[in-house]
Amino acid sequence: MLVNRQKTVHPLLTLQPQELTITSDIIRQTYPGKDIVFRIIAIKEPRRSLVVAFLEAERSSASLPHVPRCTYVSYQFKGQPEAFEDIADLGTRKVIFHKELPKGVHPPAGTDDMLAVQQLVLEDELVKAEIARLKIPEGAKVVPEAWPYGKDTSEADPKQYQVWFFLGSLDQKNRAHPSSNHFVHPLDFSAVVDDVTKKVVKIDRLPMGDGLYSQSGDDEVYQPQPDAEYASELQPSLRQDVKPIIISQPEGVSFTVEDDQVISWQKWKFHMDFNWREGVVLRDVCYDGRPVFYRLALAEMTVPYADPRPPFHRKSAYDLGEGGVGNTANNLALGCDCLGAIRYFDRWVNDSQGRPEIRENCICMHEVDAGVGWKHTNYRNMRAEVTRSRELVIQTIMTISNYEYILIWTFDTAAAIHYEIRATGIMSVVPMRQGVEHDIDYGIMVAPGVMAPSHQHIFCLRMDPAIDGCNSSTIAYNESIAKPVTKNRNPYGVAYGLESHEIHKSGHLDLDPSRNRIVKFVNKEKVNKVTGKNPGYAVHVSATQLQLSHATSTHASRAEFADHHFYFTKQSEHELYPAGDYPWQSVGGGGVRTWAGRNEKLGSEGVAWVNFGFTHNPRPEDWPVMPCEVFRVAIKPSHFFERNPALDMPASRQSVNKSTLVPKGNAKEVSCCGQKGD
Amino acid sequence: MLVNRQKTVHPLLTLQPQELTITSDIIRQTYPGKDIVFRIIAIKEPRRSLVVAFLEAERSSASLPHVPRCTYVSYQFKGQPEAFEDIADLGTRKVIFHKELPKGVHPPAGTDDMLAVQQLVLEDELVKAEIARLKIPEGAKVVPEAWPYGKDTSEADPKQYQVWFFLGSLDQKNRAHPSSNHFVHPLDFSAVVDDVTKKVVKIDRLPMGDGLYSQSGDDEVYQPQPDAEYASELQPSLRQDVKPIIISQPEGVSFTVEDDQVISWQKWKFHMDFNWREGVVLRDVCYDGRPVFYRLALAEMTVPYADPRPPFHRKSAYDLGEGGVGNTANNLALGCDCLGAIRYFDRWVNDSQGRPEIRENCICMHEVDAGVGWKHTNYRNMRAEVTRSRELVIQTIMTISNYEYILIWTFDTAAAIHYEIRATGIMSVVPMRQGVEHDIDYGIMVAPGVMAPSHQHIFCLRMDPAIDGCNSSTIAYNESIAKPVTKNRNPYGVAYGLESHEIHKSGHLDLDPSRNRIVKFVNKEKVNKVTGKNPGYAVHVSATQLQLSHATSTHASRAEFADHHFYFTKQSEHELYPAGDYPWQSVGGGGVRTWAGRNEKLGSEGVAWVNFGFTHNPRPEDWPVMPCEVFRVAIKPSHFFERNPALDMPASRQSVNKSTLVPKGNAKEVSCCGQKGD
């Protein structure tokens, strides 16, 4: 554990298992005899100013100030609707804050909760009657999938689940496989379950035609479809011609890890925190000893669906605040999710009893060769100077019901940071009546009777800058603007200028490719000696389509970040989640749009929320499992250095790289002549 | 050589060295005794319909039709301004077409021409006087750099060069190095050279302040600056902590190469053609035997500068049509420009005598692991199915004076094609008077007295589709559009629809992220059995800033592609280059804007021109050599397959991948415990 000279815990220490236990003990002692259901136990984000004082003292080897170490807890009493949020001081072991959440504000659900709901619906008489009606093939198993209920009103509702039903693989051999795929057989009804009573509140017959109210009828039966399996072992044949690529680091890796969370690599140094919600959180990110970011994390995502037919109109997931990257993080097995020399990390979340639950190997870290870093050839003598670029890759993969997100932070040798999202897994589908011609434009048929609706994935990255100092980052944006044609300044009409604008107040901004608008964080107190400009880091992100839901829709009210490419707010340790702390059935009003609306002066205390995503109009090529859709954001130095920071990368040399030559003949012949395996 | 059963040459055979010799012999025989300067010898693009007939006959093993094999030649007589373009039939060995290029239309220049101009200016008395004026440090070498002259009028001009001058490295040790960097010491004058007379026509004193006419004075002398070297060997220190990454394919590679140009890899098969101008040209690109593209190539780029001060206002390079990717292609040495098992290709261009000149190792091809391809985890039993994505990478690197472009085609295992550009090398800089405060907005100071002007790189990819058939591709675009809120169709305001629009006539289109506009090629004669939609491929490219030069500028007239994200024209083997065949000092009028303006019906004969790029506002981090700026375009199947084409990829297994575990301790310790090199 990171313990300083005064024996206090480092404020950026990631949540320790014993802290989970201490916290649940503190809460339990407050309510003797009560059956407490722990929804969340996590580190309460410490006050930024205190942490900064600590970090600056640490950097200057000064006396370290005390930063209170606190957790926040969200809990309920079993069978009761009220939910509470407390803050516990782990030093004094006291509850220092307590509130009851307003009616209609609901904590998230864990996998346990989901599994329990999925169990109970199968025992419900209404559900059983639906299953009986469907006359499903003998031996086929009904598989429920619980989702958050979503929202279509501004009323406070009790916490509910929307449970979809699928049929397990029909083929015996497929059914026996641990990855057998029930998602390809959607059934025509769903159940709404109350979280407190654990009862089915109602059954929704699903629409089966294009009309809003084309619900399945009382005599409709299940129409079997062929299985569609994704497991390699269940494919009729596999490619035999993919020759192995082996990536090795015979001299070891270039990174070091201290205290299981402080990473040093190629002049970068940062804390790798992790929590149930955001997954990896990067903190105190420094390059060559100079701070760059105070805190970087994926803060939320929303996944609204285009299908207007009830009950699908409510489908809009908030996979961080409702489920959590950390809670749903995969165990990343060696050699499958990344190649090379891999360092894994374990982290901890809580179970519903307040006990620590390990997320083993939930983060993997490795280096990759990222192609040519920079090159120049002197054409007079054909002498080339070339270096490689290298990236440090930090990866988490979350599984949220049918779907996967691969979430990747990378650092590179030219002092840039990248955030990459790879969306994969199985698309959410719904049944459609077979034999009816559907000319729908909000989805496609991926099999007869199976429709994959269009949807969007809109992500929000929260960036709290610390450009060359923790308290001196201003947010600005640049535009490249053509100049008017004038005799004295631009007679030939070729001139354009870089215009810079400071963001003075909280608010929002949209990208505009026609102006090459780029948001930057700059330190106005420092000046680059070479260029005379303020040092900064710029956010390079493509303009992507924002949320399409109508401004009057609940989707729009709830996804407070998804209507602009950037939001800017004043730093606050209480404002980390742009759709609010508790998005489950939320009505909005507690997120970034609300905070930005305060019209506050930002000064050097601004935080940026960067919103981007995919509009995913399904392709058959995405079925039954989709190839990764990749999106990348780059955060690059701009006047932060006096010259190319990768200038000191060693030249790329064959003596080091040990590549092999495929002779200029037929490559097939090569394999035959002395190489193994062919 | 690819010779068919009737002993005729395959129409997609890349240019052979003997064909270069035959061509120059044919031309030479036409003009006995004349001193001919050969500018270009290349394969004349055969008529598409003939090639398609050949390919279809080839695929069905039918009798192969004869496709005439022709070259085109651009040449001049030494010391004379007239330029000619002929077409030679290599079968009959006859000139079948001859024309004199109009006055003001100029063939490109080769490296030979550039070097010759750079030699002659040093012997010119006017240049010598300028150098004497500057009082340069003793021993320092003046290095001229010849550029195309650019354009600022619509008049026909004689072919000229603009020669910039630099001072070689000042330090003795630096100067002795083969990569010593003169680009950091720009001098304050330039010379204009006439191509015919090989004489300096005039000297331009360069502007040294912000004003348009702040030219260097008669008594200004050179102000020495420290050298800024990029060669690793000249750095004061290099990183010592970059541990090697070794990429190996112990069982050989997964691709095969026939006839040095037909590549087969993971169901992909295509011809890899190459020419002096476009570099790699992909032809008859098929997946699993189904055609996808008839021809794919980078067609042109333009690099206009933002600096309005004469003579810099003319700076706007067309690096394909003025110089050529093939002409300037690097020899890609093993282990430096790519890692792993590498197959190199040699290709041929002509010298000014019409002789074949090899471009050795000008293309490299290798496979890379591209991360997770698709994944799903069954959260009920935590069983994960994961496959890797793999890419076949085909790379060319061109050096154009100070600058490098890394041009990469990739194919992947999910049936997508990608085009990637990495811009690197040394930025073009100009001198600025020292001690003057410059608050310019069209560039930055990268050293005292050295200004790097802002500029744009706008690229044009030409895509000639063959979606599931060579003669049946229609161009269309999709948009995702929110629907109005109505009681009967969209009561909750969540609906959006995919709207499809066909491109009926030649013209242009701009991207619009707010509508998620995506251009597609579709085959309207076929229908995907599962989805009922036409099979297609979609172009996924971010909207980037278009050319900023004013519509009335010569830059705008000349760069006929750079004002819209897409142009569409009717297929023609005579229309391959969007800024015209001869962009050197061109005035425009012979490029894609002109062709698109014909307002022709496209039917199934449309070609798309995709325009994208960077607005490069220099950073000090880009100096003295810039880290690669990366841009990627994806071309993805859309209803081309009935399911995920990567479903048959074998599962990712540690037994194959052989990754290694970095123990969960301190990584430093790992290196000490039994691993080499630390």
Side-chain angles (χ1 to χ4, degrees):
Chain A
M1 258 176 83
L2 284 162
V3 176
N4 67 29
R5 293 190 294 280
Q6 289 98 39
K7 307 278 179 207
T8 63
V9 174
H10 194 291
L12 300 185
L13 177 66
T14 201
L15 178 67
Q16 301 296 303
Q18 59 273 39
E19 294 178 319
L20 281 161
T21 307
I22 292 167
T23 303
S24 52
D25 286 350
I26 295 171
I27 300 299
R28 220 177 259 111
Q29 284 157 20
T30 316
Y31 303 104
K34 282 275 198 179
D35 193 350
I36 302 172
V37 183
F38 289 89
R39 298 298 184 188
I40 307 166
I41 303 177
I43 294 295
K44 169 64 189 162
E45 180 70 20
R47 195 174 299 164
R48 193 182 191 281
S49 57
L50 296 179
V51 178
V52 166
F54 186 98
L55 295 173
E56 288 180 348
E58 193 181 39
R59 277 192 261 277
S60 62
S61 302
S63 173
L64 295 170
H66 174 70
V67 182
R69 178 77 169 172
C70 299
T71 46
Y72 72 97
V73 194
S74 167
Y75 59 97
Q76 294 179 277
F77 300 118
K78 194 167 184 176
Q80 295 184 21
E82 295 77 15
F84 307 94
E85 186 182 290
D86 287 12
I87 296 176
D89 186 316
L90 299 184
T92 62
R93 305 215 167 183
K94 287 212 164 18
V95 171
I96 58 170
F97 176 85
H98 169 81
K99 76 167 174 191
E100 184 178 332
L101 298 183
K103 200 177 162 221
V105 174
H106 305 296
T111 305
D112 282 359
D113 296 311
M114 294 298 198
L115 292 172
V117 167
Q118 290 170 188
Q119 186 61 36
L120 75 88
V121 290
L122 290 177
E123 289 151 19
D124 179 82
E125 293 305 323
L126 293 170
V127 171
K128 283 181 180 171
E130 289 297 308
I131 294 170
R133 167 182 59 84
L134 283 169
K135 300 195 186 359
I136 59 172
E138 208 167 327
K141 198 176 148 194
V142 173
V143 187
E145 286 285 335
W147 277 43
Y149 187 58
K151 197 72 186 171
D152 60 6
T153 69
S154 56
E155 308 291 305
D157 291 319
K159 185 178 181 185
Q160 294 177 328
Y161 299 87
Q162 177 92 45
V163 186
W164 314 108
F165 292 87
F166 298 86
L167 210 56
S169 302
L170 301 180
D171 180 277
Q172 285 278 12
K173 184 179 147 239
N174 293 341
R175 202 183 295 160
H177 193 278
S179 297
S180 78
N181 185 9
H182 58 274
F183 289 109
V184 301
H185 300 299
L187 299 182
D188 68 359
F189 70 99
S190 76
V192 178
V193 172
D194 184 277
D195 182 58
V196 174
T197 63
K198 301 288 187 228
K199 296 265 185 248
V200 172
V201 175
K202 66 166 173 165
I203 297 289
D204 283 318
R205 289 277 175 82
L206 302 180
M208 296 289 281
D210 186 25
L212 281 192
Y213 304 104
S214 55
Q215 275 73 9
S216 199
D218 286 341
D219 52 1
E220 293 208 39
V221 297
Y222 178 69
Q223 301 291 337
Q225 275 303 312
D227 291 342
E229 303 294 344
Y230 59 90
S232 298
E233 290 159 349
L234 298 178
Q235 301 309 312
S237 64
L238 292 176
R239 300 186 196 200
Q240 300 299 316
D241 57 350
V242 187
K243 301 291 174 66
I245 288 181
I246 310 295
I247 299 174
S248 59
Q249 294 201 269
E251 298 180 19
V253 295
S254 316
F255 54 78
T256 61
V257 180
E258 294 165 70
D259 298 306
D260 202 39
Q261 75 169 53
V262 184
I263 317 295
S264 299
W265 178 81
Q266 295 299 311
K267 305 187 193 181
W268 288 107
K269 188 171 185 177
F270 55 91
H271 284 258
M272 191 167 67
D273 194 5
F274 184 91
N275 64 53
W276 71 275
R277 181 170 188 149
E278 299 158 289
V280 169
V281 180
L282 302 176
R283 319 192 72 137
D284 191 30
V285 178
C286 296
Y287 189 90
D288 219 2
R290 298 165 67 192
V292 181
F293 283 96
Y294 175 73
R295 191 183 197 279
L296 284 174
L298 181 69
E300 192 52 274
M301 73 168 90
T302 183
V303 188
Y305 283 75
D307 189 340
R309 301 169 307 154
F312 303 132
H313 69 287
R314 280 198 309 264
K315 280 174 78 174
S316 64
Y318 292 81
D319 290 335
L320 274 70
E322 290 174 340
V325 176
N327 277 346
T328 64
N330 285 199
N331 183 331
L332 305 168
L334 182 67
C336 300
D337 296 292
C338 24
L339 301 193
I342 320 293
R343 170 63 151 88
Y344 291 92
F345 295 84
D346 303 331
R347 290 292 186 263
W348 298 85
V349 296
N350 63 288
D351 72 3
S352 60
Q353 299 304 305
R355 293 171 300 208
E357 200 174 88
I358 196 166
R359 288 291 172 269
E360 212 173 351
N361 302 336
C362 61
I363 311 170
C364 64
M365 179 168 80
H366 70 298
E367 294 175 82
V368 297
D369 175 85
V372 169
W374 54 259
K375 179 173 189 178
H376 182 59
T377 300
N378 182 345
Y379 69 88
R380 288 173 173 81
N381 56 21
M382 298 315 279
R383 162 83 176 216
E385 300 286 331
V386 54
T387 67
R388 308 295 301 171
S389 169
R390 191 170 290 190
E391 293 183 347
L392 182 72
V393 175
I394 293 164
Q395 179 174 269
T396 312
I397 303 182
M398 71 187 290
T399 295
I400 196 94
S401 189
N402 48 293
Y403 212 65
E404 266 72 17
Y405 297 98
I406 304 177
L407 306 170
I408 301 173
W409 286 103
T410 72
F411 294 85
D412 78 20
T413 41
I417 304 171
H418 307 261
Y419 191 66
E420 181 173 308
I421 293 180
R422 294 183 167 225
T424 181
I426 299 173
M427 294 187 294
S428 169
V429 294
V430 301
M432 288 290 258
R433 205 167 279 137
Q434 290 188 47
V436 180
E437 286 297 315
H438 298 294
D439 194 21
I440 53 171
D441 63 358
Y442 47 79
I444 63 161
M445 303 305 292
V446 289
V450 183
M451 195 270 281
S454 294
H455 55 281
Q456 297 186 281
H457 301 263
I458 302 176
F459 304 92
C460 178
L461 273 180
R462 184 180 185 276
M463 298 190 182
D464 184 342
I467 305 298
D468 223 357
C470 289
N471 292 320
S472 44
S473 306
T474 301
I475 307 177
Y477 65 95
N478 284 340
E479 298 181 331
S480 297
I481 305 294
K483 298 198 177 170
V485 180
T486 64
K487 197 179 161 207
N488 291 332
R489 297 295 294 174
N490 184 24
Y492 299 97
V494 304
Y496 74 85
L498 189 65
E499 298 184 1
S500 209
H501 306 273
E502 198 174 314
I503 303 283
H504 294 286
K505 289 197 167 179
S506 63
H508 61 259
L509 186 71
D510 288 321
L511 290 169
D512 182 348
S514 74
R515 301 170 81 86
N516 199 41
R517 191 174 285 159
I518 294 172
V519 169
K520 284 178 71 170
F521 306 105
V522 294
N523 185 326
K524 285 172 67 182
E525 295 166 14
K526 298 197 175 171
V527 169
N528 186 300
K529 271 184 216 152
V530 172
T531 67
K533 313 281 183 194
N534 300 131
Y537 263 74
V539 183
H540 296 260
V541 54
S542 295
T544 53
Q545 190 169 39
L546 295 163
Q547 183 159 291
L548 284 162
S549 310
H550 195 269
T552 59
S553 67
T554 48
H555 287 2
S557 307
R558 301 174 72 204
E560 296 198 23
F561 56 97
D563 56 344
H564 291 292
H565 291 121
F566 281 87
Y567 270 100
F568 308 107
T569 61
K570 199 170 172 181
Q571 293 155 0
S572 166
E573 65 271 18
H574 304 300
E575 296 173 358
L576 299 176
Y577 313 119
D581 288 351
Y582 296 98
W584 191 292
Q585 281 169 261
S586 72
V587 293
V592 71
R593 190 187 299 139
T594 307
W595 309 326
R598 289 186 305 234
N599 202 25
E600 282 177 298
K601 274 196 186 171
L602 295 182
S604 59
E605 298 176 274
V607 165
W609 310 73
V610 189
N611 307 312
F612 56 89
F614 317 100
T615 295
H616 185 185
N617 302 315
R619 312 175 297 162
E621 287 85 355
D622 296 329
W623 191 249
V625 64
M626 67 178 274
C628 281
E629 182 74 23
V630 182
F631 193 88
R632 212 170 208 224
V633 179
I635 313 165
K636 294 187 178 188
S638 178
H639 302 269
F640 194 83
F641 299 95
E642 294 177 9
R643 55 179 199 166
N644 179 351
L647 205 56
D648 63 348
M649 282 293 284
S652 179
R653 296 267 185 266
Q654 168 62 4
S655 57
V656 174
N657 298 333
K658 296 185 173 54
S659 290
T660 55
L661 204 59
V662 179
K664 288 173 186 165
N666 190 322
K668 262 184 182 157
E669 293 163 23
V670 179
S671 296
C672 302
C673 302
Q675 299 212 19
K676 281 182 291 186
D678 203 322
Chain B
M1 257 177 82
L2 284 163
V3 175
N4 68 30
R5 293 189 294 280
Q6 289 98 39
K7 306 283 177 201
T8 63
V9 174
H10 193 292
L12 300 185
L13 177 68
T14 200
L15 178 67
Q16 302 295 304
Q18 60 271 36
E19 294 178 318
L20 281 160
T21 307
I22 291 168
T23 303
S24 53
D25 285 350
I26 294 170
I27 301 299
R28 221 178 257 112
Q29 283 157 20
T30 316
Y31 305 104
K34 283 275 198 178
D35 194 350
I36 302 171
V37 183
F38 288 90
R39 297 300 183 188
I40 307 166
I41 303 177
I43 294 295
K44 167 65 188 164
E45 180 71 19
R47 194 174 300 162
R48 193 182 191 280
S49 57
L50 295 179
V51 178
V52 166
F54 186 98
L55 295 172
E56 288 180 347
E58 194 180 39
R59 276 192 261 279
S60 62
S61 301
S63 173
L64 296 169
H66 174 69
V67 182
R69 179 78 169 171
C70 299
T71 46
Y72 72 97
V73 195
S74 164
Y75 60 96
Q76 294 179 276
F77 300 117
K78 194 166 184 176
Q80 296 183 20
E82 295 78 15
F84 306 94
E85 186 183 290
D86 287 11
I87 295 177
D89 184 316
L90 299 184
T92 61
R93 305 217 167 181
K94 288 209 167 16
V95 171
I96 57 170
F97 176 86
H98 170 81
K99 76 169 176 191
E100 184 177 329
L101 298 181
K103 200 176 161 219
V105 174
H106 304 297
T111 305
D112 281 1
D113 296 312
M114 295 297 199
L115 292 172
V117 167
Q118 290 170 188
Q119 186 60 34
L120 75 88
V121 289
L122 290 177
E123 289 150 20
D124 179 84
E125 292 306 321
L126 293 169
V127 171
K128 283 181 180 171
E130 289 297 307
I131 294 171
R133 166 183 60 84
L134 283 168
K135 299 192 185 5
I136 60 172
E138 208 167 329
K141 196 176 146 194
V142 173
V143 186
E145 286 284 337
W147 278 42
Y149 187 57
K151 196 73 187 173
D152 60 6
T153 68
S154 56
E155 308 290 304
D157 291 320
K159 186 176 179 186
Q160 294 178 327
Y161 299 86
Q162 175 92 45
V163 186
W164 313 109
F165 293 86
F166 299 85
L167 210 55
S169 302
L170 301 180
D171 180 275
Q172 284 278 12
K173 182 178 148 244
N174 294 341
R175 203 183 295 159
H177 194 277
S179 298
S180 77
N181 185 10
H182 58 273
F183 290 109
V184 302
H185 301 300
L187 299 183
D188 69 359
F189 70 100
S190 74
V192 179
V193 172
D194 184 277
D195 181 59
V196 174
T197 63
K198 301 289 187 227
K199 295 266 186 251
V200 172
V201 176
K202 65 166 175 167
I203 297 289
D204 284 317
R205 289 277 176 81
L206 302 180
M208 296 290 282
D210 186 25
L212 282 193
Y213 306 103
S214 55
Q215 275 72 8
S216 199
D218 286 341
D219 52 0
E220 293 209 39
V221 299
Y222 177 71
Q223 302 291 334
Q225 276 302 314
D227 290 342
E229 303 293 344
Y230 59 90
S232 299
E233 290 159 351
L234 298 178
Q235 301 309 313
S237 65
L238 291 177
R239 301 186 195 199
Q240 300 298 316
D241 57 350
V242 187
K243 300 292 174 66
I245 288 181
I246 310 295
I247 299 174
S248 59
Q249 295 201 269
E251 298 180 18
V253 295
S254 316
F255 54 78
T256 60
V257 180
E258 294 164 70
D259 299 307
D260 202 40
Q261 76 169 50
V262 183
I263 317 295
S264 300
W265 178 82
Q266 297 298 312
K267 305 188 193 181
W268 287 106
K269 187 169 185 177
F270 56 90
H271 285 257
M272 192 167 68
D273 193 7
F274 183 92
N275 63 54
W276 71 275
R277 182 171 186 148
E278 299 158 288
V280 169
V281 179
L282 302 176
R283 317 192 74 139
D284 191 29
V285 178
C286 296
Y287 189 89
D288 219 2
R290 299 165 66 192
V292 180
F293 283 96
Y294 175 74
R295 192 183 196 279
L296 285 174
L298 181 69
E300 192 52 275
M301 73 168 88
T302 182
V303 188
Y305 282 76
D307 189 340
R309 303 169 305 156
F312 303 132
H313 69 289
R314 280 198 309 265
K315 279 174 78 175
S316 64
Y318 292 80
D319 290 334
L320 274 70
E322 290 174 341
V325 176
N327 277 347
T328 64
N330 285 201
N331 184 331
L332 304 168
L334 184 67
C336 300
D337 296 292
C338 23
L339 300 193
I342 320 293
R343 169 65 151 86
Y344 292 92
F345 295 84
D346 303 332
R347 291 290 187 263
W348 298 86
V349 296
N350 63 288
D351 72 4
S352 59
Q353 299 305 304
R355 293 172 300 208
E357 200 174 88
I358 195 166
R359 288 291 172 269
E360 212 173 351
N361 302 337
C362 61
I363 311 171
C364 64
M365 180 169 80
H366 70 299
E367 294 175 82
V368 298
D369 175 85
V372 170
W374 55 258
K375 180 175 189 177
H376 182 59
T377 301
N378 182 344
Y379 67 89
R380 289 174 172 82
N381 57 20
M382 299 315 279
R383 162 83 175 217
E385 300 287 330
V386 53
T387 66
R388 309 295 300 170
S389 170
R390 191 170 290 190
E391 292 182 349
L392 182 73
V393 175
I394 293 166
Q395 180 174 269
T396 311
I397 303 182
M398 70 187 291
T399 296
I400 196 95
S401 190
N402 48 292
Y403 213 65
E404 266 72 17
Y405 297 97
I406 304 176
L407 306 170
I408 301 173
W409 286 103
T410 72
F411 293 85
D412 78 19
T413 41
I417 303 172
H418 307 260
Y419 191 68
E420 182 173 307
I421 293 180
R422 294 183 166 225
T424 181
I426 299 172
M427 294 187 295
S428 169
V429 295
V430 301
M432 287 290 260
R433 204 168 278 135
Q434 289 189 49
V436 179
E437 286 297 316
H438 299 293
D439 194 19
I440 53 169
D441 62 359
Y442 47 79
I444 64 161
M445 304 305 291
V446 289
V450 183
M451 193 269 281
S454 296
H455 55 281
Q456 297 186 280
H457 301 263
I458 302 176
F459 303 92
C460 178
L461 273 181
R462 184 179 184 276
M463 297 190 184
D464 183 342
I467 304 300
D468 223 358
C470 289
N471 291 319
S472 45
S473 307
T474 301
I475 306 177
Y477 65 95
N478 285 341
E479 298 183 330
S480 298
I481 305 294
K483 298 198 177 171
V485 180
T486 63
K487 197 179 161 209
N488 291 331
R489 298 294 295 173
N490 185 24
Y492 298 97
V494 304
Y496 73 86
L498 188 65
E499 297 183 2
S500 209
H501 305 274
E502 198 174 315
I503 303 283
H504 294 287
K505 290 196 167 180
S506 64
H508 61 259
L509 185 73
D510 288 322
L511 290 169
D512 182 348
S514 74
R515 302 171 79 87
N516 199 42
R517 190 174 286 159
I518 294 173
V519 170
K520 285 177 74 171
F521 306 105
V522 294
N523 184 327
K524 284 172 67 184
E525 294 166 15
K526 297 197 176 170
V527 169
N528 186 300
K529 273 184 217 151
V530 172
T531 66
K533 312 280 184 195
N534 301 131
Y537 263 74
V539 183
H540 296 261
V541 53
S542 295
T544 53
Q545 192 170 37
L546 294 163
Q547 185 159 291
L548 284 161
S549 310
H550 195 270
T552 59
S553 67
T554 49
H555 287 3
S557 307
R558 300 176 72 205
E560 295 199 22
F561 56 97
D563 56 344
H564 291 292
H565 292 122
F566 281 87
Y567 270 101
F568 308 107
T569 60
K570 199 170 172 182
Q571 294 155 359
S572 165
E573 65 270 18
H574 305 300
E575 296 174 357
L576 299 176
Y577 313 120
D581 289 350
Y582 296 99
W584 191 294
Q585 281 169 260
S586 72
V587 294
V592 72
R593 190 188 300 140
T594 307
W595 308 326
R598 288 186 305 235
N599 202 28
E600 281 176 298
K601 274 196 186 168
L602 295 182
S604 58
E605 298 176 274
V607 165
W609 309 75
V610 189
N611 307 310
F612 55 89
F614 318 100
T615 294
H616 186 185
N617 301 316
R619 312 174 297 162
E621 287 85 355
D622 297 327
W623 192 250
V625 65
M626 68 177 274
C628 280
E629 181 75 23
V630 182
F631 192 88
R632 210 169 211 226
V633 179
I635 313 166
K636 293 189 178 186
S638 178
H639 302 269
F640 193 83
F641 299 94
E642 293 178 9
R643 55 181 200 167
N644 179 351
L647 206 56
D648 63 347
M649 282 293 286
S652 179
R653 297 266 184 268
Q654 169 62 4
S655 56
V656 173
N657 298 332
K658 296 185 172 53
S659 289
T660 56
L661 203 60
V662 179
K664 289 173 184 165
N666 191 321
K668 261 183 182 159
E669 294 163 21
V670 180
S671 297
C672 302
C673 302
Q675 300 211 19
K676 281 181 291 186
D678 203 321

